[in-house]
Amino acid sequence: MDGPVELVTEDGTVVRSDRVVVAVCACRRSKRFPLCDTSHRRRVRRGGSQE
Ligand code: FES
């Protein structure tokens, strides 16, 4: 997504980002949820494949 953007969460909170590139967090690990802060990358899978 190209910024700036405004997101409205399920509880009606409006989250605004002025960043040029914005990613929406789908893993819910982000400290900036609902925006992705790349925390999803810390996931370590054992016995599985990683991208
Ligand atoms: S998708 Fe959740 S931190 Fe990136």
Side-chain angles (χ1 to χ4, degrees), residues 32-50:
R32 302 180 63 235
F33 188 84
L35 303 180
C36 171
D37 72 351
T38 69
S39 295
H40 60 267
R41 293 182 185 165
R42 289 182 204 133
R43 180 175 191 171
V44 177
R45 284 191 190 170
R46 292 171 192 268
S49 63
Q50 281 196 308

Side-chain angles (χ1 to χ4, degrees), residues 13-50:
T13 304
V14 177
V15 179
R16 183 178 162 79
S17 175
D18 293 324
R19 299 173 84 190
V20 175
V21 177
V22 180
V24 176
C25 176
C27 76
R28 296 190 174 248
R29 290 190 181 91
S30 175
K31 295 182 178 71
R32 302 180 63 235
F33 188 84
L35 303 180
C36 171
D37 72 351
T38 69
S39 295
H40 60 267
R41 293 182 185 165
R42 289 182 204 133
R43 180 175 191 171
V44 177
R45 284 191 190 170
R46 292 171 192 268
S49 63
Q50 281 196 308

